[in-house]
């Protein structure tokens, strides 16, 4: 990112222009030619002022350039250009990837030592509590040294790698440096070292990395069978079984269930079970990514006064509508489900009850009514619970919601959600019924004031007005609300409006734009 600072000032006559750069730079810049500094490139020129003098120092003085006296002028000091050394080594730190993010897990390197790279070329992928992000280069140069291995936790501002900019030679890292950069799980191995496979990185999800740590396995020793050589859970378990078999039958790190499931072996157990003294070891599982986010958000949500409102909704008409959509679907890439219709009807109900689509400012005791309906969808992934949101649902059709929902689901599955997908939500839907269960009692996804858990749609007997019994498709919903903002009557009226739109989807046509 290019960061510029704008400076307005008036100053007395001067016979020189000053080229500025920070004190921290230790690389001398070659003597410039006057032709290199045309008037049309003010971003390279800055002017000393009383408040800037402590941060910058003059390195050039070009007496051939004259400035008129007492002229009000505006110029830009480009920090990226000022920091760029002409032939030297620069540190590439982990930048701030989002508000409140203090550290990230390094997932994979896209470069290796000695590679030539261009500006804005991806260097590595990191995962924060909220999203997976690619770190790109600000400079053009050559990779001198990688300071972290995939799986390491890197603090914001900590150096990721060193780049050679200009004509300087790439220094060879010392053996001490190489030994200090180890992938997670290799600390207990005295003979482990950073080889070329470690530098390149191993494709694996955080869940698979944690599993490898539990068994004390170095992922770089495991042959991945997934796409592009990705190491899967099955690969780790199979390697653990093979390792255990090699070490002997007393290996405690691999369970008998794993052996039988993956290798199809039936082990013979001694008849005298009293003689078998095998005790499983305790395992410490570090929480990463979305799991860390869940710890923080749920801990805060538990302090909020909740109340819950439960209702049953007849989904017979919704079932017919979804079947009609699917029967008339001509696009094989689109799969119609109940959820997009539920999302659209929810947005229309919130238009009548805007306090359901708000957030609470505890310091000023103010309620902020959100203009956009950014409806979050809780998604259970192998990386943890993700809650991306569909932006501006009030302006989208059911088909557009279907496509956006499919996009978010695929990104969540691939662990490629970006911060924009996960931020800005105004209310959350938790479709627990897709997994199982009639209803749940959800906790708020702060700073939102409402969350809705939907159970599965199931056939149950119901009495009609004439007293006959007939089957009906019933869904149970549970609305969790912040009692500091919402009261029971408001939530009940809102739920009645939403229920009416679901049970009579033709009413959606009256309000659609």
């Amino acid at each position: 990112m290019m960061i510029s600072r704008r400076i307005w000032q008036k100053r007395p006559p001067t016979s020189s222009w000053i080229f500025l750069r920070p004190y921290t730079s230790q690389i001398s810049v070659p003597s410039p030619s006057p032709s290199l500094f045309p008037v049309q490139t003010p971003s390279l020129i800055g002017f000393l002022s009383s408040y800037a003098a402590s941060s910058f120092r003059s390195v050039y003085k070009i007496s051939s350039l004259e400035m008129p006296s007492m002229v009000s002028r505006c110029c830009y000091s480009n920090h990226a250009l000022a920091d760029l050394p002409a032939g030297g080594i620069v540190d590439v730190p982990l930048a701030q990837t989002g508000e409140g993010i203090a550290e990230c897990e390094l997932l994979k390197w896209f470069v290796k030592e000695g590679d030539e790279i261009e500006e804005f070329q991806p260097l590595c992928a990191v995962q924060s509590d909220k999203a997976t992000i690619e770190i790109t280069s600000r400079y053009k140069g050559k990779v001198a040294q990688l300071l972290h291995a995939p799986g390491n936790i890197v603090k914001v501002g900590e150096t990721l790698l060193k780049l050679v900019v200009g004509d300087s030679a790439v220094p060879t890292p010392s053996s001490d440096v190489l030994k200090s950069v180890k992938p997670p799980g290799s600390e207990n191995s005295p003979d482990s070292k950073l080889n070329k496979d470690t530098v390149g990185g191993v494709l694996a999800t955080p869940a698979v990395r944690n599993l490898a740590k539990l068994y004390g396995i170095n992922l770089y020793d495991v042959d991945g069978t997934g796409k592009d050589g990705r190491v899967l859970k099955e690969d780790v378990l199979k390697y653990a079984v093979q390792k255990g078999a090699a070490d002997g039958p007393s290996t405690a790190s691999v369970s008998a269930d794993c052996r039988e499931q993956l290798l199809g072996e039936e082990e013979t157990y001694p008849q005298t079970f009293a003689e078998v003294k095998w005790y499983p070891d305790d395992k410490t599982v570090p929480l990463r990514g979305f799991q860390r986010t869940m710890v923080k958000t749920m801990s805060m949500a538990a302090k909020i006064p909740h109340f819950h409102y439960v209702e049953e909704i007849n989904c017979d008409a919704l079932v017919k509508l979804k079947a009609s959509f699917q029967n008339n679907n001509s696009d094989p890439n689109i799969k119609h489900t109940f959820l997009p219709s539920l999302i659209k009807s929810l947005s229309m109900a919130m238009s009548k009850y805007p306090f359901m689509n708000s957030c609470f400012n505890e310091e000023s005791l103010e309620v902020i009514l959100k203009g956009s309906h950014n409806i979050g969808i809780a998604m259970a992934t192998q990386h943890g619970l993700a809650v991306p949101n569909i932006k501006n649902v009030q302006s989208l059709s059911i088909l557009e919601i279907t496509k956006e929902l499919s996009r978010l689901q695929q990104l969540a599955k691939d662990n490629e959600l970006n911060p924009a997908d996960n931020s800005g939500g105004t209310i959350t839907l938790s479709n627990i019924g897709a997994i199982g269960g009639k209803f749940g009692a959800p906790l708020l996804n702060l700073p939102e004031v409402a969350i809705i858990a939907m159970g599965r749609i199931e056939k149950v007997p119901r009495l009609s007005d004439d007293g006959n019994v007939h089957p009906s498709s019933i869904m149970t919903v549970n609305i969790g609300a912040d009692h500091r903002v919402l009261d029971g009557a408001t939530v009940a009226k809102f739920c009645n409006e939403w229920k009416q739109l679901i049970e009579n989807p033709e009413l959606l046509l009256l309000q659609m734009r």
Side-chain angles (χ1 to χ4, degrees), residues 315-391:
C315 296
D316 288 339
L318 184 64
V319 172
K320 294 179 181 178
L321 182 66
K322 178 244 183 181
S324 176
F325 286 161
Q326 195 60 39
N327 292 335
N328 293 279
N329 180 24
S330 59
D331 190 343
N333 297 321
I334 295 178
K335 180 182 179 181
H336 291 282
T337 63
F338 298 114
L339 195 53
S341 298
L342 292 169
I343 292 172
K344 185 60 182 180
S345 58
L346 175 68
S347 174
M348 291 200 169
M350 288 194 302
S351 297
K352 287 192 175 181
Y353 297 92
F355 273 80
M356 298 295 298
N357 191 60
S358 65
C359 65
F360 179 59
N361 189 326
E362 190 171 1
E363 295 182 358
S364 60
L365 296 180
E366 294 176 337
V367 178
I368 302 172
L369 304 181
K370 297 293 186 177
S372 298
H373 295 176
N374 300 339
I375 299 179
I377 310 298
M379 299 180 183
T381 73
Q382 60 179 339
H383 317 289
L385 179 64
V387 191
N389 61 84
I390 302 175
K391 303 288 194 298

Side-chain angles (χ1 to χ4, degrees), residues 49-269:
S49 63
S50 58
Y51 60 87
S54 60
S55 301
F56 295 87
R57 63 187 175 90
S58 170
V59 294
Y60 299 126
K61 197 167 188 179
I62 306 173
S63 58
S64 60
L65 299 176
E66 297 292 332
M67 291 293 296
S69 62
M70 300 304 295
V71 176
S72 177
R73 53 191 177 269
C74 170
C75 62
Y76 291 86
S77 172
N78 193 302
H79 289 196
L81 292 175
D83 290 343
L84 181 61
I89 296 180
V90 295
D91 294 341
V92 178
L94 175 61
Q96 180 62 257
T97 59
E99 184 179 356
I101 302 300
E103 61 186 17
C104 294
E105 178 184 2
L106 177 61
L107 295 181
K108 178 186 178 183
W109 284 109
F110 298 126
V111 297
K112 59 181 181 294
E113 292 179 0
D115 283 357
E116 295 284 350
I117 62 171
E118 301 293 331
E119 283 186 272
F120 309 113
Q121 178 178 336
L123 299 174
C124 62
V126 299
Q127 183 179 33
S128 67
D129 295 351
K130 300 179 179 180
T132 300
I133 304 160
E134 286 188 357
I135 303 299
T136 59
S137 175
R138 291 171 53 191
Y139 309 107
K140 176 181 178 181
K142 182 180 291 187
V143 179
Q145 184 181 356
L146 304 179
L147 299 181
H148 293 276
N152 286 356
I153 298 296
V154 184
K155 302 288 185 182
V156 170
E158 191 174 347
T159 301
L160 285 167
L161 72 160
K162 294 180 180 292
L163 291 181
V164 173
V165 180
D167 299 328
S168 298
V170 179
T172 302
S174 64
S175 58
D176 294 337
V177 173
L178 291 178
K179 291 179 180 179
S180 65
V181 184
K182 298 180 180 179
S186 63
E187 291 82 354
N188 298 328
S189 176
D191 299 327
S192 62
K193 60 181 179 180
L194 185 66
N195 53 33
K196 61 181 181 180
D197 296 331
T198 304
V199 174
V202 172
L203 286 174
T205 62
V208 173
R209 297 179 187 277
N210 290 335
L211 182 64
K213 291 180 183 179
L214 296 180
Y215 288 108
I217 295 174
N218 190 335
L219 279 178
Y220 312 103
D221 298 332
V222 181
D223 294 329
T225 60
K227 183 179 178 181
D228 298 327
R230 182 180 293 273
V231 177
L232 306 178
K233 175 182 178 182
E234 292 76 10
D235 300 331
V236 174
L237 291 176
K238 184 176 181 180
Y239 183 84
V241 171
Q242 294 172 348
K243 179 182 176 182
D247 294 340
S250 62
T251 301
S253 61
V254 183
S255 66
D257 292 339
C258 292
R259 293 177 183 271
E260 185 174 352
Q261 178 182 355
L262 296 176
L263 300 183
E265 300 176 355
E266 293 185 0
E267 297 189 357
T268 303
Y269 295 92

Side-chain angles (χ1 to χ4, degrees), residues 18-34:
I18 309 299
F19 182 75
L20 303 178
R21 62 187 176 92
Y23 273 118
T24 54
S25 176
Q26 299 178 359
I27 307 299
S28 61
V29 185
S31 177
S33 170

